[in-house]
Amino acid sequence: MPGPRVVSLVPSLTEAVAVSAPGLLVGATDWCARPVGLDVVRIGGTKNPDVTAIAALRPDLVVANEEENRAQDLAALRAAGLTVLVTEVRTLGQAFTELTRVLVTGCGVAAPRWLAEAQDAWEALPPPAHGPRAAVVPVWRRPWMVLGRDTFAGDLLARLGVVNLYGSHPERYPRIPLDELRASGADLVVLPDEPYRFTADDGPEAFPGLPAALVDGRFLTWYGPSLAQAPAALRAALR
């Protein structure tokens, strides 16, 4: 018996569903780049999905995220008679819980091996080889924006011995002037390559004298199959 027809509005969840339950996914956003070569109907962006196009696919389930997707779009999908599963992922523990909810409860498949491997990899994470390092973690420039409170990426960094200096900020992604970031007392600047694509030539120069760690944004911000490789990849980047 065929499984449910699924549309994903979140790149991380798109990869998780496509890898774990091949054939169930019928639609995904323009930003869903993994798995490489994914061949499904594209239904617009994460912030502007085409509700009519999604409804035309007759999905049994639309998977979304409270941060990635807008409430008004999710309401429009529900008004069109569609079932929408909205995830919240602000910690590693939540990621594992929500992935299980999407894959096992929502899609009706067995928990995939990669999910167990990811849990094992994070549980086996050795303690940091150094003391806690205070960091600023920009996610955008022009204007400068950084990780604030209550973020998935911040939780992963904390497990790796990196303390986000703006982790108690009232906002989750505050705009902070560059001069303030430079004067924050940070020991490190962590520069992921998404959502803004920081590179060796675009980012470190703004923080003269401060060590910069360039990290793969997929390992820092995605909750999916990449979680199994993330501990080792992030530890290597943060050395």
Side-chain angles (χ1 to χ4, degrees):
M1 182 176 178
R5 294 170 60 84
V6 180
V7 169
S8 173
L9 304 183
V10 185
S12 295
L13 298 179
T14 295
E15 183 179 26
V17 173
V19 168
S20 307
L24 297 190
L25 200 68
V26 296
T29 76
D30 298 337
W31 297 103
C32 294
R34 289 180 178 270
V36 175
L38 179 66
D39 184 18
V40 296
V41 175
R42 301 296 174 161
I43 47 75
T46 57
K47 307 298 185 188
N48 59 342
D50 186 332
V51 174
T52 301
I54 294 171
L57 291 171
R58 297 177 290 106
D60 300 296
L61 181 69
V62 178
V63 293
N65 176 263
E66 51 90 30
E67 179 177 26
E68 290 272 357
N69 309 118
R70 304 186 307 168
Q72 57 264 44
D73 295 322
L74 303 181
L77 289 165
R78 291 191 178 100
L82 302 179
T83 299
V84 183
L85 190 163
V86 182
T87 58
E88 178 182 283
V89 179
R90 301 190 182 188
T91 67
L92 181 63
Q94 275 190 312
F96 291 137
T97 297
E98 294 290 57
L99 285 165
T100 299
R101 188 161 71 103
V102 168
L103 298 171
V104 179
T105 305
C107 295
V109 301
R113 177 178 294 179
W114 64 258
L115 187 56
E117 291 173 347
Q119 291 174 304
D120 290 344
W122 281 98
E123 288 175 2
L125 184 69
H130 49 74
R133 286 186 291 175
V136 292
V137 191
V139 293
W140 203 259
R141 69 183 301 176
R142 306 182 192 92
W144 286 93
M145 299 175 67
V146 299
L147 288 186
R149 66 169 180 84
D150 200 19
T151 66
F152 174 67
D155 185 49
L156 295 195
L157 289 172
R159 294 166 186 270
L160 292 156
V162 176
V163 178
N164 175 16
L165 281 175
Y166 289 90
S168 59
H169 194 280
E171 298 176 28
R172 296 186 68 215
Y173 300 98
R175 297 185 180 189
I176 307 293
L178 181 57
D179 287 347
E180 182 178 329
L181 295 178
R182 288 171 171 168
S184 65
D187 304 313
L188 176 73
V189 57
V190 178
L191 298 168
D193 63 4
E194 59 177 82
Y196 185 90
R197 187 172 180 79
F198 287 107
T199 68
D201 299 319
D202 184 357
E205 82 292 340
F207 300 89
L210 190 63
L214 295 164
V215 302
D216 187 326
R218 181 165 169 261
F219 291 127
L220 184 62
T221 64
W222 285 45
Y223 33 92
S226 58
L227 279 174
Q229 293 79 43
L234 291 173
R235 285 187 79 231
L238 291 167
R239 284 176 183 163

